[in-house]
Amino acid sequence: MRRPRWRRFSLAGFPALRPLLLHCVTDNRALLSVARILPFRLPLKRCSVVGNGGILKGSRCGKQIDEADFVIRCNLPPLGSDYSLDVGLKTQLVTVNPSIIDKRFQNLLWSRRSFVESLKIYKSSFVYMPAFSMRHGTEPSLRVYYTLADFSANQSVLFANPNFLRNVGKFWKSKGVHSKRLSTGLFMVSAALSLCEEVTVYGFWPFQIDLKGSPIRHHYYDDVPPLRGFHSMPEEFLQLWLLHKSGVLRVQLGHCNPEEPQ
């Protein structure tokens, strides 16, 4: 398969993206910007940003995803033998929406051990959280940090710099994405375009049918619909597709190994 003509993404619309991408928790007293202390060496060569769309089910993209040098996943998606053929196993960074901590792990008041156990599938990855962009996100994000520290877990917590989130939101709004909140996936693609030389995105497909017109589930692991009124997934996908057509990144749709039977 021919590789696209990769082009570096212009940072003109991201005035603070490179210096203000993340904050890394290092101790109880200080938050250090990754502009000074970066937890991984740049530039990253090949990156996979993996969404959770139902189009991944049956895609056989797992091997291709895992061949990247850096793999980003969104919101603690299920991995393991049931899904690895389609979505792979490798993870360098996984995001956690604070609402997941509340709904799935009782805000880590009673489910600390089960939370730590659930992260083992991601091995020694970075856990990325928007601790300071919304008031209600700070407490669960800090609980995650202290829980992983208390259990001496293999994962490291990275906190999103709110300036990065704000600037990226403004950029995409100027491009026509009008929503109450950008999806985690679009934030991660934006970060990858600055961190990586080559970016391929998987599982970004906001429609109820696949390319052949067959119905698909909302996620590759369930069919729970999103909350209404928060994200504008079709508008986000249009922007990703425009970047794909211009060679900035690659949007992987459909089967990764066409010669392989599904």
Side-chain angles (χ1 to χ4, degrees):
M1 179 175 59
R2 289 184 59 192
R3 296 173 64 85
R5 292 176 293 121
W6 299 101
R7 300 177 185 173
R8 292 295 293 158
F9 187 53
S10 171
L11 296 180
F14 287 114
L17 179 58
R18 200 174 284 278
L20 295 174
L21 179 58
L22 304 169
H23 274 77
C24 178
V25 172
T26 57
D27 56 41
N28 293 342
R29 296 167 297 173
L31 297 175
L32 300 181
S33 169
V34 296
R36 301 178 207 161
I37 299 177
L38 205 65
F40 36 80
R41 183 175 298 177
L42 295 182
L44 300 169
K45 180 63 176 173
R46 297 168 56 200
C47 295
S48 295
V49 183
V50 188
N52 299 325
I55 198 168
L56 275 172
K57 186 173 176 60
S59 67
R60 303 298 192 269
C61 286
K63 182 176 182 292
Q64 185 171 299
I65 289 170
D66 285 352
E67 286 175 347
D69 303 302
F70 199 85
V71 179
I72 300 172
R73 300 183 187 272
C74 300
N75 292 329
L76 299 183
L79 301 178
S81 58
D82 291 342
Y83 307 107
S84 60
L85 193 61
D86 294 329
V87 303
L89 288 169
K90 186 176 179 180
T91 307
Q92 272 75 36
L93 186 149
V94 60
T95 70
V96 183
N97 190 308
S99 65
I100 294 175
I101 303 304
D102 179 28
K103 295 175 182 178
R104 200 185 302 176
F105 299 103
Q106 296 74 53
N107 211 20
L108 295 179
L109 295 174
W110 316 108
S111 304
R112 282 161 42 100
R113 185 174 297 277
S114 64
F115 173 70
V116 173
E117 290 293 319
S118 73
L119 290 189
K120 287 185 176 179
I121 192 69
Y122 307 109
K123 299 184 178 178
S124 57
S125 62
F126 296 103
V127 176
Y128 179 96
M129 298 191 70
F132 308 115
S133 59
M134 299 171 289
R135 182 175 300 176
H136 66 268
T138 303
E139 183 177 344
S141 298
L142 292 174
R143 286 183 183 274
V144 167
Y145 170 68
Y146 286 115
T147 296
L148 295 182
D150 289 346
F151 283 82
S152 299
N154 291 329
Q155 294 78 26
S156 302
V157 179
L158 297 178
F159 288 162
N161 188 310
N163 290 324
F164 160 69
L165 301 180
R166 190 179 304 113
N167 289 333
V168 171
K170 289 179 179 178
F171 174 83
W172 289 117
K173 185 176 182 179
S174 73
K175 296 295 183 181
V177 179
H178 300 289
S179 61
K180 185 175 181 180
R181 191 179 306 159
L182 294 182
S183 71
T184 299
L186 190 57
F187 277 120
M188 291 298 96
V189 171
S190 302
L193 287 169
S194 178
L195 297 170
C196 313
E197 292 183 352
E198 301 178 8
V199 176
T200 304
V201 302
Y202 303 82
F204 286 76
W205 182 255
F207 309 112
Q208 296 178 331
I209 58 174
D210 64 15
L211 294 171
K212 298 180 180 179
S214 301
I216 55 175
R217 301 189 298 179
H218 184 66
H219 297 125
Y220 69 82
Y221 49 84
D222 67 29
D223 200 21
V224 177
L227 294 175
R228 292 185 177 274
F230 278 91
H231 305 310
S232 298
M233 295 301 195
E235 291 179 1
E236 291 188 8
F237 177 78
L238 174 61
Q239 295 302 318
L240 294 179
W241 190 249
L242 292 175
L243 293 178
H244 170 87
K245 295 292 287 183
S246 64
V248 171
L249 52 70
R250 179 183 173 198
V251 177
Q252 174 65 46
L253 300 174
H255 205 258
C256 283
N257 296 296
E259 298 178 359
E260 228 180 77
Q262 298 190 43

